Amino acid sequence: REFPRGADGFDLTAAKSVLEGLKQARPERVEVKMSAEDAVKYNDIVGVIDTCTGLGLTGIQLSPIGT
């Protein structure tokens, strides 16, 4: 799922809500694959990673868009 960056920055609340729903639906899963464009800010990526680990999603992969 894509989460665009708005005028106020990345919508971490929306991303967290989706991740919580996925974790509730499949509590045994720990994998997350993230793709980010070059323009995505480092702090936004770290925010998503922190959210993932807080939900027990510890198998995090990060790759550029298109790979």
Side-chain angles (χ1 to χ4, degrees):
R1 177 162 180 187
E2 186 174 324
F3 296 96
R5 185 173 177 79
D8 295 331
F10 181 74
D11 189 354
L12 188 56
T13 302
K16 182 177 182 181
S17 177
V18 169
L19 290 166
E20 287 173 334
L22 292 171
K23 186 63 177 175
Q24 288 176 356
R26 303 278 306 271
E28 73 281 1
R29 298 294 302 260
V30 296
E31 301 87 10
V32 174
K33 183 175 181 182
M34 295 173 35
S35 296
E37 297 174 344
D38 290 341
V40 174
K41 295 185 183 273
Y42 176 78
N43 287 340
D44 291 336
I45 293 171
V46 170
V48 174
I49 291 171
D50 286 347
T51 298
C52 288
T53 57
L55 293 170
L57 300 166
T58 55
I60 303 167
Q61 278 185 333
L62 175 62
S63 63
I65 294 283
T67 61

